[in-house]
Amino acid sequence: MTAAELLIAVAVPAEAEAVRAGLAPGAPVRVEPVGVGPAAAAAGTARLLVLAEAAGRAYRGVISAGIGGGFPDRAAIGTLVLASRSVAADLGAESPDGFRTLDELGFGQVARPADPELLRRLRTALPGATVGTVLTLSTVTGSAATLGALTTRYPDAAAEGMEGYGVAVAAHQAGLPFAELRAISNPVGPRDRDAWRIADALAALTAAATALS
């Protein structure tokens, strides 16, 4: 009997190519780009999960993987971050008393924890990875002010990306284990494209892919 596949959802084809390059031949893994941002990621992942289930080949779990920004002193460029939880950091409302999350407004949850067993296996396979909160943002952080606000609100934040929470919601609604992996391409904070090392992050993603099967 063929083993159920693990779905690895990435944002763009370059990330998919990086992950595929590191997978062992014949690994029961499917890697698919689902789009940039939480909405595209949620919709794209949900569609893949529904199609697989309808075809009688439901996935055994879902990993959101890709490059991302690392919070200073938590995750350096070229390193890996595993999410203990994926948080929709800008989902909420502004108020005279400051930002209020969706939870505080009573409309839902902004945090989705990683599946404990899937996270445990990834930590064992990737012992050098930092484990912490990974923030999902629709707008990449580009200023010291935003960095300060995020670190105040989420002092355990290790990385930021644009898709994790969306993928997590799709996996949760399908009843599947979820985890998130980020390879760090740049520091979170004032936007400086000269400091970005996308090739290094993609190489780290390829090296980590051996643990994703």
Side-chain angles (χ1 to χ4, degrees):
M1 183 176 180
T2 303
E5 289 184 315
L6 178 70
L7 175 63
I8 301 178
V10 300
V12 296
E15 292 169 324
E17 292 170 6
V19 173
R20 289 172 184 146
L23 291 174
V29 177
R30 182 176 179 183
V31 186
E32 292 291 343
V34 293
V36 176
T45 301
R47 178 177 181 274
L48 291 171
L49 297 179
V50 168
L51 289 174
E53 186 173 356
R57 51 175 182 81
Y59 293 103
R60 56 188 165 92
V62 184
I63 295 177
S64 174
I67 65 175
F71 279 80
D73 303 322
R74 295 297 308 278
I77 290 174
T79 64
L80 300 171
V81 172
L82 291 168
S84 55
R85 59 178 184 157
S86 300
V87 176
D90 54 5
L91 185 58
E94 292 184 338
S95 79
D97 299 320
F99 182 83
R100 300 186 64 193
T101 68
L102 204 66
D103 305 65
E104 293 168 331
L105 295 170
F107 295 143
Q109 296 177 315
V110 296
R112 295 290 179 180
D115 176 76
E117 178 58 24
L118 183 53
L119 178 58
R120 184 195 66 78
R121 294 203 304 267
L122 290 173
R123 292 183 71 170
T124 299
L126 300 168
T130 297
V131 179
T133 293
V134 176
L135 306 183
T136 298
L137 297 160
S138 296
T139 301
V140 173
T141 301
S143 70
T146 301
L147 171 62
L150 290 174
T151 52
T152 297
R153 201 181 312 148
Y154 301 105
D156 61 342
E160 73 171 21
M162 301 182 76
E163 293 79 33
Y165 179 80
V167 176
V169 169
H172 175 76
Q173 291 186 354
L176 293 175
F178 164 82
E180 181 175 4
L181 169 69
R182 290 287 154 188
I184 304 305
S185 61
N186 59 279
V188 176
R191 187 173 177 83
D192 178 10
R193 285 302 299 268
D194 291 336
W196 288 25
R197 299 290 182 269
I198 292 178
D200 292 346
L202 291 174
L205 204 56
T206 298
T210 55
L212 302 182
S213 58

